[in-house]
Amino acid sequence: MQTSLSAAVAAPDSSASAIPNAFRAAPTSLRALGRTVRIILVMALGISVLMNPSALHSWKAFAITYAYTVFYSVSLWFTNGYVVEWLNRLYPWSAQPLRRLLLTLAVSLGGSAAVIVGMNALLLLIQHEPMARLWSGAMYWQVLMPLIITVIVSLFNHSRAFFFQWRDAAVRAERLEKETAVARLDSLRRQVDPHFLFNSLNALTSLVEENDPARAVRFIRQLSQVYRYVLDSESQEMVPLTQEVRFAESYLYLQKTRLGNALAVEMDLPPAVLAPYYVPPLALQLLLENVIKHNAAFQANPLRVSVALDPAAHTLTVRNTLRPRRLAPGESSGLGLKNLAARYAFLTNKPLAIGEEAGEFVVTLPLLVL
């Protein structure tokens, strides 16, 4: 018995190096937890046989060795698995790398040392040895060697986790750049679309023919503001909601000049309420453009649009009468809302809400706060 128990002390050395290497992250489901437990049990069985083959001659000795190895392995895995997952959520590598490195060292060293010392203390209790031996020179290497192996393997796994997170962040940044570029190009293309320019020039021609120079001058100024905003915001990922609303007002002025009473817009958004919020550039304009492009508007039965802000929920909602009309081939790419949703996915975890309610088409934009 004495031989088997003493040999069991060496078993944690291997478990310390093998178990953390098997699990880069703690399981997040019952199935994953069950699979992890099975792997630990099998590995502990192999470690027990390799480290203490003499215990095979006694079921009792082998049971003690196996139980000790399992408990040792589970304790080290828990310390270097679940606790590190908690650190990943609290201090991600990408946000605070130096603080995360120091916390990782503290957790790996402190947690692993506590487990190793605790298991050696348990072994002394089983052997009916005095606890003072725990701090004797004879126990020095029995504590230090497993700790060194565990920390080396743990640091390797943390470095691996850091690499994976860095790679994911790089991929996300590349995708964000690509999606943003596509969205910017799509927004710019739609703004200089011949249909939009043609309709605007037709409206301007009508104002000139009606001998209304004041409205014609204002129309030209609003049209120039629309194109200036498109060009100025083309290189930005987010813009103040106040600027976006001013741009939307200029855009709506052009559309109302063209459509007259066929378009009824309700947009009561005081600048003071808008001040804290940001949105992707051209987000609100894209929704208004979709409303006008995809729905029929009549003088006798106007197309109604409302834009409302919910400060409590940090959202901006655009509602319009759902009155679909046929579009000419090539008039719509169908990518506007998809691109906008993709841009939001990289800026916030709050999704774009799109749906129908009581005969209205409703889109809710999450508002961003810096």
Side-chain angles (χ1 to χ4, degrees), residues 15 19 37 40-41 69-80 115:
S15 63
I19 295 301
V37 170
I40 290 178
L41 293 178
T69 304
V70 168
F71 191 77
Y72 208 135
S73 302
V74 168
S75 299
L76 287 175
W77 169 75
F78 182 85
T79 301
N80 294 278
V115 169

Side-chain angles (χ1 to χ4, degrees), residues 4 7 14 18 34 47 95 127 131 171 182 265 276 283 309-310 312 318 325 358:
S4 63
S14 299
I47 292 171
Q127 293 177 328
M131 295 303 296
V171 170
V182 170
V265 180
L309 184 144
D310 186 347
V318 177
R325 71 176 183 90

Side-chain angles (χ1 to χ4, degrees), residues 54-328:
S54 61
L56 294 175
H57 300 291
S58 170
W59 283 106
K60 184 177 181 181
F62 184 77
I64 293 175
T65 301
Y66 181 65
Y68 186 89
T69 304
V70 168
F71 191 77
Y72 208 135
S73 302
V74 168
S75 299
L76 287 175
W77 169 75
F78 182 85
T79 301
N80 294 278
Y82 278 106
V83 175
V84 170
E85 281 296 301
W86 172 75
L87 285 177
N88 284 340
R89 291 191 297 270
L90 194 62
Y91 298 104
W93 284 103
S94 57
Q96 297 173 308
L98 180 59
R99 177 176 294 185
R100 174 57 200 274
L101 175 63
L102 296 177
L103 286 173
T104 297
L105 291 173
V107 168
S108 295
L109 286 171
S112 300
V115 169
I116 294 169
V117 171
M119 292 304 299
N120 279 280
L122 178 63
L123 183 63
L124 291 176
L125 287 176
I126 295 175
Q127 293 177 328
H128 303 290
E129 296 282 350
M131 295 303 296
R133 281 198 57 194
L134 192 62
W135 315 113
S136 65
M139 298 293 290
Y140 178 77
W141 286 108
Q142 293 182 4
V143 173
L144 184 61
M145 287 306 297
L147 180 61
I148 293 174
I149 295 173
T150 301
V151 169
I152 291 174
V153 174
S154 179
L155 289 177
F156 168 77
N157 286 321
H158 292 315
S159 301
R160 188 162 167 255
F162 171 78
F163 168 76
F164 281 121
Q165 289 192 15
W166 172 82
R167 186 188 64 179
D168 292 343
V171 170
R172 284 173 60 86
E174 184 178 352
R175 288 177 58 192
L176 174 60
E177 184 178 354
K178 180 180 178 180
E179 293 288 349
T180 302
V182 170
R184 287 171 182 163
L185 289 175
D186 183 67
S187 297
L188 188 59
R189 182 193 61 78
R190 285 184 290 102
Q191 289 302 328
V192 296
D193 188 278
H195 293 288
F196 174 76
L197 185 58
F198 178 76
N199 291 332
S200 298
L201 292 177
N202 274 344
L204 179 59
T205 301
S206 299
L207 293 177
V208 173
E209 291 175 348
E210 293 172 5
N211 196 20
D212 193 346
R215 290 184 64 195
V217 170
R218 183 180 178 189
F219 185 92
I220 293 172
R221 288 175 177 171
Q222 297 292 339
L223 183 60
S224 67
Q225 288 183 13
V226 165
Y227 279 90
R228 184 182 299 113
Y229 182 82
V230 171
L231 296 175
D232 290 345
S233 64
E234 191 267 338
S235 62
Q236 301 181 47
E237 294 182 359
M238 292 185 295
V239 294
L241 183 57
T242 306
Q243 293 182 16
E244 182 75 10
V245 169
R246 281 202 301 266
F247 165 66
E249 290 172 345
S250 298
Y251 176 80
L252 286 173
Y253 177 81
L254 301 179
Q255 297 295 344
K256 287 180 68 66
T257 300
R258 183 173 64 90
L259 298 174
N261 293 330
L263 179 62
V265 180
E266 180 183 350
M267 189 165 62
D268 184 17
L269 302 172
V273 180
L274 307 178
Y277 302 115
Y278 290 78
V279 292
L282 307 177
L284 178 56
Q285 180 274 336
L286 184 145
L287 300 184
L288 296 173
E289 181 188 40
N290 277 355
V291 171
I292 297 170
K293 179 184 292 185
H294 293 278
N295 296 276
F298 308 101
Q299 298 291 333
N301 189 10
L303 175 62
R304 301 190 179 278
V305 185
S306 69
V307 182
L309 184 144
D310 186 347
H314 303 306
T315 58
L316 185 72
T317 300
V318 177
R319 297 174 177 268
N320 66 271
T321 308
L322 189 57
R323 196 184 297 156
R325 71 176 183 90
R326 282 189 179 181
L327 297 177

